[in-house]
Amino acid sequence: MPSTQTAAARRAPGPLGRALRSRWLLAVGFVAVHAWVIKQAITWGYTIYGDVTLYEWLARHGLSTGQWPVLDYDWVYPAGALLPVTLPALVAPTLLGYEIVWTAMIVALDAVATVVLVRSAPRGVLGAWWWLAFLVALGPIFLGRLDGVVAPLILVSLVLASRRPTLATAVATAGAWIKIAPGAVVVALAATRARWRDLLRQVVVPGAVVSVVVVGLALAGGAGQRAFSVFGQQEARTLQAESVLATWFSVARLWDPSVRIEYNDVIFTYEVQGDVARQVASALDWLLPVAVLLLAALTWWTARRRPDHAGDILLLSTAALLLALIVFNKVGSPQFVAWIGPPLAAAIALAGPGTRRLWGPPAVGVLVAALGTQIVYPVAYGEFLAGEPAMVVIEALRNLALVVLLAGAVWRIVQLGRDGMRGDVHEGPLPDPSAPTPTVTDP
């Protein structure tokens, strides 16, 4: 009997564990974190809200003249991005008002994602705390771009994927029509469906319905072929200075003054100049889709050998796909790192005792990559562009961390598939979120 009591005492959470599981304390943390991020965004001003200023102009111009991006001229975003870009302009008559409503919209989406995470996952509160830590590490850039809209949608779709895959697909597809990244969830869901009937019912049909609605509205508005113009808008670009494959050129500036980074005043980014950089950028135009296809095939192969680990494979595949969209992308915008937080937050919330420890190292790695991103942008972006050695090294290490995270996710997917071929079973899979949540969970 004493040993039973001792074991129960060991399982009981301590004061820190009880505090971390408190939803009230989490609510206070949510408000505090977002207040800090908003304060930082206001401090940095145009550096953060520059794109929001452009969104506001596009919305005002469309409302006053009837000339809209996608509907009347090409745009770098999918047609669905018109919705979040236009909504604040319908409410607020000034630029400042637009920025306030835009910020409130992103915070509201983040709140919804956090509530879904807490209510739908066994360790949702812990996952939500990690998500808040990730937002602090990434900094205010989260508020000033469309990525702040789609990142919560990625998180919601991943949390819903096990119990409500049809709804998860619809949410992710809607997000992909705002910015392409949430499409990674759709690809991972499709690759992990065990039966063709499930693939059709849970992925193809809801994805097609959402896409038909978006494209149909765009065509009705006169978009024509521009409804799909986003897929060809990046071809003329060369390597953005911060992109992963631009790392060598960036580091080479430390000893080679001929390496040039110049401002592109058409698309408002700093790019590496030169024939070699353009050749690398051209290669990435086909390397990126090839990487996505290979990861989808790997996911499909592994999912059929380890159906008992479907939850792990879905999260690993989504993380790998999102990382591939960064690593093999000639565009290297800092806000892209916002995409890789949701798979880790969902994994921490859903992981069972057997897989919990496996997500620890990547969770730390993503926080480090997010912090490195913030240090370079907005904190020391000028120093980075000027080739200051410390900032060049930090950016290179950040990019190396992204490559290591991608390699780790791929290695884990391969390992699961090989274990399935041998019939090995090591740690337990992610639990079924539809199962009853135990009264006492680990802190």
Side-chain angles (χ1 to χ4, degrees), residues 47-103:
T47 302
I48 297 300
Y49 282 114
D51 280 25
V52 177
T53 301
L54 177 59
Y55 303 157
E56 191 264 352
W57 183 88
L58 290 170
R60 300 270 185 236
H61 183 72
L63 290 171
S64 61
T65 68
Q67 298 293 306
W68 293 94
V70 178
L71 304 185
D72 299 291
Y73 52 91
D74 290 342
W75 201 23
V76 295
Y77 298 121
L82 281 173
L83 180 62
V85 164
T86 305
L87 281 178
L90 297 175
V91 177
T94 65
L95 173 59
L96 177 60
Y98 184 98
E99 292 175 346
I100 291 172
V101 175
W102 173 271
T103 302

Side-chain angles (χ1 to χ4, degrees), residues 298 301-308 413-425:
L298 176 62
W301 175 79
T302 301
R304 273 139 191 82
R305 283 154 181 80
R306 295 305 298 269
D308 56 318
I413 296 171
V414 172
Q415 184 185 50
L416 282 170
R418 293 177 61 185
D419 289 348
M421 292 177 66
R422 295 195 301 262
D424 295 342
V425 177

Side-chain angles (χ1 to χ4, degrees), residues 207 245 250 280 320:
L245 268 294
S250 180
V280 173

Side-chain angles (χ1 to χ4, degrees), residues 134 136-139 337 365-377 379 394 398:
F134 172 76
V136 171
L138 183 60
V337 176
V366 169
L367 290 178
V368 170
L371 182 59
T373 301
Q374 181 179 179
I375 290 172
V376 174
Y377 194 95
V379 175
I394 288 175
R398 192 288 303 257

Side-chain angles (χ1 to χ4, degrees), residues 3-68:
S3 63
T4 303
Q5 293 176 342
T6 302
R10 284 198 301 265
R11 289 194 300 269
L16 179 59
R18 289 193 296 271
L20 289 176
R21 293 192 303 172
S22 167
R23 295 188 179 185
W24 286 107
L25 185 59
L26 176 64
V28 172
F30 182 94
V31 172
V33 165
H34 285 79
W36 179 83
V37 174
I38 291 171
K39 180 179 181 298
Q40 292 299 308
I42 294 172
T43 300
W44 286 103
Y46 188 82
T47 302
I48 297 300
Y49 282 114
D51 280 25
V52 177
T53 301
L54 177 59
Y55 303 157
E56 191 264 352
W57 183 88
L58 290 170
R60 300 270 185 236
H61 183 72
L63 290 171
S64 61
T65 68
Q67 298 293 306
W68 293 94

Side-chain angles (χ1 to χ4, degrees), residues 215-228:
V215 174
L217 289 173
L219 293 176
Q225 293 183 349
R226 286 184 297 274
F228 307 97

Side-chain angles (χ1 to χ4, degrees), residues 110-185:
D110 201 19
V112 170
T114 302
V115 169
V116 171
L117 181 66
V118 169
R119 291 187 174 182
S120 302
R123 289 161 57 86
V125 174
L126 185 59
W129 277 116
W130 185 92
W131 174 243
L132 293 179
F134 172 76
L135 294 182
V136 171
L138 183 60
I141 191 64
F142 183 80
L143 291 177
R145 304 292 190 273
L146 277 167
D147 308 82
V149 174
V150 300
L153 299 181
I154 295 173
L155 181 54
V156 169
S157 62
L158 287 173
V159 174
L160 296 176
S162 294
R163 289 192 303 170
R164 306 185 68 180
T166 301
L167 179 58
T169 299
V171 171
T173 304
W177 278 106
I178 295 173
K179 197 161 186 177
I180 292 172
V185 182

